Amino acid sequence: MGTVAYAQDLPPDPLAPRAGLSAEMRQAYEEGRLIFNGHWRPSGTNGPDDLVGLGPLYNRLSCASCHGAGGRGKPPEGPNSPFLTALVRIGVVDKDGKVSAHPVFGTQIQDRAVPDVAPEASLSLDWEPMSGQFPDGTEYELRRPVLTIAPDPGPDARWSIRVAPQVYGVGALADAVGPQFTPGLFGWKALEPTLVTQNAAALSQDIGITSHYQPVPICPSDGCAQGKPEIDGARLMLLTLFTDHLAAPEPDPPPALGKMLFTKIGCAQCHRPDLPKQMGSGMVHAYTDLALHDMGPGLDDGLPEGGVDSAKWRTAPLWGLGRVLKKDPAFPLLHDGRARGAAEAILWHDGSAAGARKGFMALSKEDRDALIAFLTSL
Ligand code: HEC
Ligand code: HEC
């Protein structure tokens, strides 16, 4: 038995699997892909498949609605644009700094709901400009998100905007030897320990689909009944097999100057080009150490989560940046998409990454461009 050939004359498939899947695994992968792309429907509605049980509260209808073609999301452009590929986490922090779920919104705002149910809230995002200057006199402008939640979540509420990260390559992150002291591996705060718990959390929080891992439905505050899991174990496994086997992004040959500068000014200390694999030989070239770092007050959105401080974030894997930056050099980056392109993302680095930012700022314009060209090759 060999591997099956799938439509080789089509343009490259962003959701292609890693090389070397058996025909049987490839079949399971394709079934997982259908679940990833499929739209869930409210209970009691008819359709071509059995993706039933949406909501009652939810953010989007499918995994692919946020991770389109396996890629990353964007924040809304302005106050009149909806949240399409980003979401808002929320909590309350009491005077002793203890964090708990928000009494009305829980831990995530679901801004959509099935017919006859009111969405939890409406969200409106605006941007506040901030200006700065490189030592060479070149001016730059950054922007900070200003979110309005209606109804008002109250004075103790803290929230955090999150764009959907890319999912291609996530399986390889789990193969790498990561740090020992993070709660998990996945998400902007490395909270979810495995792909199956990550996917079950996404089904529950983002689409309103219960599973064995997340049996309690996300409901309006007057509650709703808990039934049997809306996704069975077999289909959750197919979805997870699919995410686990998504191929990692392939870099271009790296421009030499930018690559050298990346190491020289300290970027590679956190964005590690090679992480050893837990098993077997070879390296994972994800440009992350998978660890959490304090990124300083600018990126601190005030909401600690799962024991991780509000200023701490997982070193974002930089592989795959080329896929977005080649099409749009100002593609929104960082956990909330505030950075318009790579230079702004670096300018937000502070806290433990302040030295690297200063190193970047001290470069000549040509060297800064060479570093960005390197990031665009990944
Ligand atoms: C409403 C938008 C949205 C939907 C729908 C959604 N996701 Fe996500 N996804 C996100 C966001 C935002 C994060 C980062 C969450 C965080 O910071 O904890 C994420 C993180 C992930 C990650 C971890 C990536 C990494 O690098 O650590 C995986 C895997 C994932 N999602 C898979 C899925 C699957 C599978 C589905 C469908 C069941 C799904 N997502 C549905 C927005 C979404
Ligand atoms: C102390 C560790 C650390 C150092 C040093 C560091 N980074 Fe980062 N980097 C991070 C973390 C953590 C994030 C995620 C922050 C967030 O989303 O709020 C990040 C995010 C990024 C992003 C956005 C990626 C995305 O997916 O949105 C880029 C681009 C980036 N870093 C480039 C660099 C470059 C270039 C350097 C060197 C000038 C550098 N970083 C140095 C930790 C670091």
Side-chain angles (χ1 to χ4, degrees):
M1 291 247 289
T3 47
V4 186
Y6 278 81
Q8 284 173 345
D9 47 351
L10 290 176
D13 173 7
L15 292 178
R18 304 192 208 183
L21 289 196
S22 67
E24 200 184 346
M25 285 286 276
R26 180 67 196 240
Q27 181 65 38
Y29 182 88
E30 293 305 328
E31 286 175 36
R33 184 201 297 246
L34 291 176
I35 302 170
F36 186 83
N37 285 330
H39 283 190
W40 290 82
R41 287 171 283 110
S43 305
T45 55
N46 295 319
D49 50 38
D50 52 0
L51 300 181
V52 189
L54 175 71
L57 298 171
Y58 65 95
N59 290 92
R60 296 304 304 276
L61 301 178
S62 70
C63 308
S65 317
C66 285
H67 304 280
R72 41 198 300 159
K74 295 180 177 185
E77 284 293 325
N80 299 318
S81 315
F83 274 70
L84 291 175
T85 53
L87 52 83
V88 176
R89 291 276 161 75
I90 192 159
V92 279
V93 179
D94 70 14
K95 58 181 186 337
D96 303 321
K98 199 174 149 291
V99 197
S100 44
H102 188 278
V104 178
F105 303 122
T107 55
Q108 180 170 316
I109 294 184
Q110 281 82 22
D111 56 350
R112 292 174 179 78
V114 297
D116 303 327
V117 174
E120 280 182 325
S122 65
L123 302 170
S124 172
L125 183 64
D126 209 349
W127 298 99
E128 186 182 73
M130 299 160 59
S131 50
Q133 212 177 43
F134 288 99
D136 71 7
T138 315
E139 297 196 359
Y140 62 79
E141 192 193 271
L142 301 177
R143 59 173 192 176
R144 199 177 7 221
V146 182
L147 180 70
T148 309
I149 302 172
D152 183 354
D156 298 331
R158 301 287 179 275
W159 51 83
S160 178
I161 301 162
R162 308 279 169 88
V163 297
Q166 67 192 16
V167 292
Y168 27 69
V170 279
L173 297 182
D175 294 344
V177 178
Q180 287 174 354
F181 304 110
T182 51
L185 184 57
F186 298 107
W188 290 102
K189 281 199 179 305
L191 285 171
E192 288 296 341
T194 62
L195 267 180
V196 70
T197 61
Q198 168 66 52
N199 292 346
L203 283 159
S204 162
Q205 288 287 335
D206 305 347
I207 313 184
I209 300 300
T210 57
S211 61
H212 290 291
Y213 289 87
Q214 298 278 348
V216 181
I218 305 290
C219 291
S221 30
D222 54 359
C224 58
Q226 180 177 335
K228 74 176 181 36
E230 289 156 337
I231 188 167
D232 59 30
R235 284 186 304 158
L236 180 56
M237 285 308 147
L238 289 170
L239 177 65
T240 299
L241 181 143
F242 168 74
T243 50
D244 195 11
H245 288 86
L246 280 160
E250 279 287 328
D252 295 340
L257 175 59
K259 187 178 176 202
M260 185 275 286
L261 291 167
F262 186 80
T263 306
K264 188 176 162 201
I265 64 175
C267 311
Q269 280 168 20
C270 298
H271 297 284
R272 287 184 52 190
D274 314 291
L275 274 187
K277 285 188 183 166
Q278 292 176 22
M279 292 202 291
S281 58
M283 296 279 184
V284 178
H285 307 290
Y287 291 86
T288 174
D289 55 4
L290 296 170
L292 293 163
H293 298 278
D294 185 329
M295 295 297 280
L299 292 173
D300 182 345
D301 54 23
L303 179 67
E305 211 186 336
V308 176
D309 288 355
S310 49
K312 284 194 175 169
W313 301 98
R314 180 186 75 177
T315 304
L318 301 183
W319 64 2
L321 271 188
R323 286 200 191 176
V324 291
L325 294 179
K326 273 181 216 159
K327 286 196 198 120
D328 176 9
F331 194 95
L333 300 178
L334 298 174
H335 66 271
D336 53 12
R338 66 175 69 192
R340 291 157 296 187
E344 288 191 19
I346 301 166
L347 291 169
W348 278 108
H349 281 53
D350 200 357
S352 322
R357 185 198 71 241
K358 286 180 192 144
F360 174 71
M361 291 183 76
L363 297 177
S364 67
K365 171 88 173 71
E366 290 72 34
D367 284 355
R368 292 199 297 268
D369 290 347
L371 184 69
I372 305 295
F374 168 65
L375 298 174
T376 309
S377 77
L378 297 177

